[in-house]
Amino acid sequence: MAKPVSSWPLVSRILVEFCAILLQFSVAVTRDTINASHALSVGQTVASADQVFELGFFSPGNSSGRYIGIWYRNGSPKLIVWVANRESPLSDKDNSPILTIGNDRNLRLLDGKQSTVWSTNISTQVNSSFALLSTTGDLILKDTVSGGTLWESFRDPCNVMLNTNMMLGVNTKTGEKRFLTACKNDDDPSPGNFTLGPVPQIPLQVFSGKGQLYIGVVGHGMVQGSLESVTLEDSGQWNVTWEAPASAYDVYGNCGPFGVCNSNESPICKCQEGFVPKSNEEWSKGSWSSGCVRRTELLCQRNMSGNLVGRGKSDGFLTLNGMKLPDRDLIDMQKFRITGEDLFLKLAHSELVEKMQRAALIITLTIATIIIMFICIIMYVKCGQKAKQRVLKKMSSASYIFRDHRSKFRIDELPLFKFEKLAIATNNFEESNKLGRGGFGLVYKAWRLWNEGNTVSVIDQTILNPCFVDEMLRCIQVALLCVQEFALDRPNISTVVSMLSGEISNLPLPKRPGFSHWQVTSDTISSQ
């Protein structure tokens, strides 16, 4: 009879593998260091204490290479912030590489054959060391005894600048450079063509291996020649908050030699004073990279070329304000609205004289225009005053005549006529029997036109002036008040004077004059 097979070996094997998985998971979650006894293998990761950053093996995109790098644990898509062996990828078929502390206390990446692929390459002699993934995303190699820093990934940045204690620049004493270098593409993290970093120049500049140069402040990442600043949202998604270059204004040397770039003008490129486009054809197409050339050679240039006839006048300098100082050959000049420095541009004497003449001409024309406008305003005011004086003179003359008549005659001595007699004498007020008319029209016509709102037509065209229409209408209204049917409705002489002079501003509306509503017929006339 066959002996039953025990299932204990299989169970034990499953338990061991399960415990190994748990142990691996526990190590990935809790460990933030690598030391001589705890190396990092494929499938394992080391996390920072705050669980924000993670270190481990990865393969970007469709790449067949394997790299050791640091990334954000919770960001989507995964943002790789640092790669150790970006120039020496491992094969994805190599399943046994490790990241460990070597015998020389360096942090080393070993392939399956235990050959060194990448190393921190420090020469400091220490007895023991360990690697720590900090909460700032910096991988730090420390001396176990003193705790001092032997090496850190922030000293060897890749294509991402973290918003922590990471710094870029050039150490002028040691010559050490800390620049960001773009990746070739999403599948290949090896160094690309573009390099970002500040240089000791105002404003800060960003260099590129292809000759492109961007102006501005350092951002957080650079991919394929673009610079982006990104933030991690609560949702775990990345949000691009800033990007450069935003326009051609940001590109180095876009306006060529002796060309100046001004983002506030259109087109953004123009030649400096004393210079003209090297190629009018290219500039007309919006291509300014050929730059500008001097319109007039400097005195020293003419001396060297033998083109100087007689004794020339010395060259001079033109001061340009609010400028970005250019590089050699006056490349990459920019004009700023507020900031910037003074740039002294050397020009031929004739160019400086021409500029001064243009400036003098502009000033002269401006002053002349102001003077002419001032004279025109004075003449307009005087003409208006003269016209007003003419009207007031006529009104004043009429007033004097009235006073003369008033002084010679008493009002009760003047002859009085009934309306019927006046109608017969004038043949019902026929125009041909009119002996004359006042300056403001016939009274018996005034009321009808007043009611029709056409009072202006009563005014004699020879004295009609738009500037004094209101005064003339006031006179007509006072005249109508003076011929009211009932004496109580008529103003006395002192009131009339006050009305005409404007002392009484609000005049009462005239009622219909007594004679204006009489119906004159042939029967009425014959009966008289």
Side-chain angles (χ1 to χ4, degrees):
M1 186 173 180
K3 194 173 183 179
V5 179
S6 175
S7 61
W8 279 108
L10 179 60
V11 174
S12 299
R13 182 178 177 182
I14 293 175
L15 289 174
V16 169
E17 290 181 355
F18 180 71
C19 290
I21 292 174
L22 289 179
L23 179 61
Q24 177 176 321
F25 177 78
S26 176
V27 169
V29 172
T30 60
R31 279 179 53 191
D32 60 0
T33 60
I34 298 174
N35 52 41
S37 58
H38 292 89
L40 187 68
S41 304
V42 175
Q44 296 179 330
T45 59
V46 169
S48 59
D50 58 1
Q51 304 296 301
V52 174
F53 297 99
E54 196 168 38
L55 169 69
F57 289 90
F58 75 98
S59 294
N62 298 321
S63 173
S64 59
R66 180 170 288 166
Y67 302 86
I68 190 79
I70 301 173
W71 59 83
Y72 278 90
R73 295 192 70 191
N74 299 323
S76 178
K78 181 185 290 186
L79 177 60
I80 307 297
V81 299
W82 181 77
V83 181
N85 58 321
R86 63 185 307 194
E87 297 184 65
S88 305
L90 296 164
S91 172
D92 58 354
K93 297 179 180 179
D94 187 351
N95 295 319
S96 55
I98 59 172
L99 182 65
T100 185
I101 301 295
N103 294 330
D104 59 354
R105 308 301 181 251
N106 273 293
L107 184 63
R108 292 182 175 274
L109 175 61
L110 306 178
D111 61 14
K113 298 179 180 180
Q114 298 298 298
S115 298
T116 301
V117 177
W118 173 87
S119 171
T120 53
N121 197 27
I122 62 169
S123 57
T124 306
Q125 298 294 323
V126 294
N127 294 325
S128 178
S129 65
F130 68 96
L132 168 71
L133 180 58
S134 71
T135 55
T136 62
D138 190 12
L139 180 61
I140 307 172
L141 182 65
K142 288 177 171 289
D143 184 349
T144 305
V145 178
S146 66
T149 298
L150 303 174
W151 172 92
E152 58 182 331
S153 61
F154 277 7
R155 294 180 184 175
D156 187 23
C158 292
N159 69 317
V160 176
M161 180 178 181
L162 297 173
N163 189 20
T164 52
N165 297 323
M166 193 173 185
M167 298 179 65
L168 300 180
V170 179
N171 189 325
T172 56
K173 294 182 179 180
T174 63
E176 179 188 5
K177 297 180 180 180
R178 296 186 185 180
F179 287 171
L180 298 184
T181 305
C183 298
K184 284 188 175 180
N185 52 58
D186 294 338
D187 299 330
D188 186 358
S190 61
N193 295 319
F194 297 92
T195 302
L196 180 149
V199 295
Q201 188 171 350
I202 298 175
L204 296 181
Q205 296 188 349
V206 180
F207 283 99
S208 160
K210 281 189 174 179
Q212 298 286 338
L213 185 150
Y214 302 123
I215 308 303
V217 181
V218 175
H220 295 267
M222 189 169 188
V223 181
Q224 291 294 344
S226 66
L227 180 64
E228 294 180 347
S229 176
V230 296
T231 57
L232 183 61
E233 304 292 342
D234 294 337
S235 61
Q237 300 295 316
W238 293 104
N239 180 34
V240 178
T241 58
W242 179 82
E243 185 176 4
S247 66
Y249 171 72
D250 297 326
V251 180
Y252 173 79
N254 185 54
C255 298
F258 299 104
V260 61
C261 189
N262 190 339
S263 62
N264 299 315
E265 295 183 356
S266 180
I268 62 174
C269 289
K270 72 173 185 178
C271 292
Q272 281 289 14
E273 292 285 345
F275 293 82
V276 293
K278 185 175 182 179
S279 173
N280 288 320
E281 182 180 358
E282 291 183 7
W283 278 63
S284 64
K285 296 178 180 178
S287 177
W288 310 291
S289 58
S290 60
C292 309
V293 294
R294 288 186 181 275
R295 181 163 46 203
T296 305
E297 287 185 328
L298 299 176
L299 181 62
C300 59
Q301 293 174 328
R302 285 179 283 166
N303 281 331
M304 293 177 61
S305 61
N307 294 329
L308 181 62
V309 179
R311 185 178 179 182
K313 294 185 178 181
S314 300
D315 303 322
F317 287 91
L318 176 65
T319 303
L320 304 175
N321 308 114
M323 301 292 295
K324 171 198 169 293
L325 298 183
D327 294 334
R328 64 188 185 279
D329 299 328
L330 291 183
I331 295 178
D332 198 45
M333 287 188 288
Q334 295 189 20
K335 175 68 176 176
F336 298 120
R337 180 179 296 177
I338 301 176
T339 59
E341 302 182 26
D342 290 340
L343 174 64
F344 300 94
L345 183 63
K346 193 171 187 178
L347 295 176
H349 177 78
S350 60
E351 294 290 348
L352 294 174
V353 171
E354 183 179 344
K355 179 174 177 59
M356 289 188 291
Q357 290 175 344
R358 287 200 303 268
L361 179 61
I362 293 174
I363 294 174
T364 302
L365 291 176
T366 302
I367 295 175
T369 302
I370 294 174
I371 292 175
I372 292 173
M373 291 178 63
F374 183 71
I375 292 174
C376 291
I377 292 173
I378 292 177
M379 292 179 64
Y380 177 80
V381 172
K382 285 189 174 181
C383 289
Q385 289 177 344
K386 288 182 178 179
K388 186 174 183 179
Q389 288 174 357
R390 286 196 298 269
V391 174
L392 292 176
K393 186 175 181 180
K394 289 186 177 181
M395 295 174 65
S396 177
S397 299
S399 177
Y400 288 138
I401 294 172
F402 175 76
R403 285 200 297 270
D404 289 344
H405 285 301
R406 187 179 62 175
S407 63
K408 293 180 180 179
F409 304 101
R410 292 178 55 183
I411 191 69
D412 56 354
E413 295 177 347
L414 296 176
L416 300 178
F417 299 93
K418 291 185 178 181
F419 178 79
E420 292 84 352
K421 292 183 178 181
L422 290 175
I424 295 171
T426 61
N427 192 19
N428 200 21
F429 301 99
E430 186 177 317
E431 284 284 328
S432 60
N433 295 325
K434 181 178 66 174
L435 295 177
R437 59 185 295 163
F440 301 105
L442 299 173
V443 174
Y444 59 82
K445 285 186 178 179
W447 173 249
R448 177 170 54 81
L449 295 176
W450 173 275
N451 279 339
E452 293 174 355
N454 192 19
T455 314
V456 176
S457 63
V458 177
I459 302 173
D460 192 337
Q461 296 298 315
T462 60
I463 65 169
L464 181 60
N465 190 319
C467 298
F468 308 107
V469 169
D470 291 339
E471 289 84 347
M472 296 177 178
L473 294 178
R474 171 180 286 269
C475 292
I476 294 175
Q477 186 171 352
V478 172
L480 289 174
L481 291 173
C482 291
V483 294
Q484 296 294 291
E485 182 175 7
F486 299 103
L488 292 176
D489 295 330
R490 304 175 202 142
N492 55 36
I493 292 300
S494 60
T495 304
V496 169
V497 173
S498 298
M499 289 179 174
L500 292 175
S501 64
E503 294 180 8
I504 299 177
S505 57
N506 296 324
L507 302 182
L509 294 177
K511 300 176 183 178
R512 178 179 297 178
F515 62 81
S516 65
H517 56 83
W518 284 43
Q519 182 64 37
V520 181
T521 63
S522 57
D523 296 337
T524 305
I525 296 174
S526 61
S527 66
Q528 299 296 327

